[in-house]
Amino acid sequence: MTEILHPGLYVHVPFCKTKCPYCDFFSGTSLSSIPDWLEAVKREMPLYKDRFTRFDSLYLGGGTPSLLPERDLADLLFHLRSHFLFAVDTEYTLEVNPDDVTSDKLTFLRDLGVNRISLGVQSFDDRDLCFLKRRHSADQAVQALHESKSAAFAKVGLDLMYGLPGQTESSWMKTLEQAVRFNPEHISCYQLTVHEGTPFWSLQAKGGITPLGEDEESVFFMRASAFLEDNGYLHYEVSNFARGEENLCRHNLKYWRRFPYLGLGPSAHSHQGGVRWWNLRDLEGYCRALTNGDPPVAGSETLTPEQVYLET
């Protein structure tokens, strides 16, 4: 199994062109706030300069990091590298929406040092994508994968979603079959979960969504696990599959193994020395705190032996 030597660094990019109705991650659609967010993240970096010595993974998540203007992405990476040390073999991951993919954009990301991209495909079925209110089509997802593989990133991963109302085993298997045709290094399969506070939660409460039963969901899960393992993928976490141990997501492993990690940005979580803390889940409050010279921390907890055992 992949050896972890250093902590990981996560940066939360809380911006989307549109908000998916199932998503409960902190994000918004006001792109005019990007400059304020970037300045706040740069102010947050010095707070941890001496607490973490060296990172070997950087994960830009969101939100939709791929919609950031190129100058802002370059500025962010420049300041991160100025404040922190990174191992020579650092895994640099950026989440990408298929709608944002162009050959020029991918070349820019690769030249910036990004060596792993995670594509939010979700499905190769336009009916599923329409239900999820995704802003890309199945054809765009296919084209994005073609472009990504041609751009010669060290690793390409994609996210898929199952357990959607109306989704059939047949359509789910077709999505999986389409995914493995591209031979991506990593595939994540997430079950649709309707979270309180999301539009889907309200729609479900009104009877507009009928969730699948546990037995049906388990069939989707087991079919995916068996199919992907038959096609050379290692099922190394509940939702994650890698084409060999060398393609495990190094950053995700830090969460699962309770290794130290630092999270920058609103709502980001961190962990070190048995203590976990998290930032304000509010962009305005996050920026205001750092403008005033205050840490943007909303809360923290010291893990008890019982918590450690349960999480392990």
Side-chain angles (χ1 to χ4, degrees):
M1 190 65 75
T2 299
E3 184 179 11
I4 298 178
L5 299 176
H6 303 286
L9 176 59
Y10 173 84
V11 180
H12 188 67
V13 183
F15 303 102
C16 295
K17 286 183 181 178
T18 57
K19 183 76 173 177
C20 297
Y22 56 86
C23 179
D24 72 332
F25 290 122
F26 175 69
S27 65
T29 57
S30 178
L31 306 187
S32 62
S33 300
I34 289 176
D36 291 338
W37 162 82
L38 180 57
E39 288 306 310
V41 171
K42 289 192 285 189
R43 289 191 180 102
E44 189 179 10
M45 294 177 196
L47 302 180
Y48 299 101
K49 186 173 182 179
D50 298 323
R51 288 186 59 175
F52 292 82
T53 55
R54 187 183 300 270
F55 298 105
D56 66 359
S57 70
L58 170 62
Y59 195 105
L60 302 184
T64 314
S66 58
L67 65 73
L68 288 179
E70 291 184 359
R71 65 180 181 277
D72 292 334
L73 270 172
D75 192 23
L76 175 63
L77 267 293
F78 172 80
H79 280 83
L80 288 170
R81 288 166 173 151
S82 297
H83 282 85
F84 303 112
L85 294 175
F86 291 91
V88 174
D89 65 340
T90 292
E91 176 189 85
Y92 292 95
T93 301
L94 186 125
E95 292 182 344
V96 178
N97 192 81
D99 188 48
D100 295 327
V101 171
T102 65
S103 58
D104 288 343
K105 183 68 169 281
L106 294 173
T107 298
F108 167 78
L109 293 175
R110 192 188 60 210
D111 292 346
L112 198 61
V114 174
N115 52 28
R116 182 179 185 275
I117 62 170
S118 179
L119 286 165
V121 170
Q122 313 311 345
S123 177
F124 290 103
D125 188 317
D126 281 322
R127 291 170 299 180
D128 293 340
L129 295 172
C130 181
F131 170 75
L132 294 170
K133 299 294 192 292
R134 298 294 295 177
R135 57 184 174 90
H136 67 274
S137 66
D139 285 344
Q140 285 176 307
V142 169
Q143 183 61 30
L145 275 162
H146 276 302
E147 296 276 6
S148 300
K149 297 298 286 187
S150 298
F153 284 92
K155 299 178 184 179
V156 173
L158 57 90
D159 292 349
L160 302 174
M161 189 172 289
Y162 66 92
L164 283 57
Q167 187 181 38
T168 65
E169 287 182 49
S170 175
S171 66
W172 174 229
M173 294 308 299
K174 286 180 181 178
T175 280
L176 291 170
E177 289 164 2
Q178 179 74 290
V180 300
R181 288 194 188 105
F182 292 96
N183 206 26
E185 284 74 22
H186 195 275
I187 297 177
S188 296
C189 298
Y190 298 111
Q191 177 180 306
L192 174 66
T193 302
V194 179
H195 296 279
E196 186 173 1
T198 63
F200 271 6
W201 179 271
S202 300
L203 190 59
Q204 180 174 281
K206 297 174 184 176
I209 294 179
T210 302
L212 299 183
E214 287 187 10
D215 290 343
E216 292 176 287
E217 290 173 340
S218 67
V219 170
F220 278 76
F221 175 82
M222 296 304 295
R223 289 291 301 276
S225 179
F227 175 79
L228 291 175
E229 288 186 338
D230 286 345
N231 281 272
Y233 286 85
L234 173 67
H235 192 175
Y236 73 100
E237 290 175 2
V238 175
S239 304
N240 293 311
F241 302 80
R243 189 159 48 79
E245 289 194 3
E246 67 277 11
N247 292 312
L248 272 58
C249 178
R250 183 185 296 175
H251 191 82
N252 278 350
L253 286 176
K254 299 180 194 299
Y255 300 147
W256 280 80
R257 299 181 187 177
R258 296 177 42 258
F259 216 73
Y261 53 86
L262 172 63
L264 303 176
S267 81
H269 284 57
S270 304
H271 174 259
Q272 187 181 49
V275 178
R276 186 159 48 217
W277 67 96
W278 51 93
N279 284 347
L280 293 164
R281 189 182 170 95
D282 169 44
L283 181 57
E284 186 176 334
Y286 168 81
C287 293
R288 183 170 56 249
L290 286 158
T291 298
N292 295 335
D294 300 323
V297 176
S300 66
E301 62 178 343
T302 300
L303 300 180
T304 65
E306 291 78 12
Q307 284 177 299
V308 171
Y309 175 79
L310 186 62
E311 291 184 8
T312 300

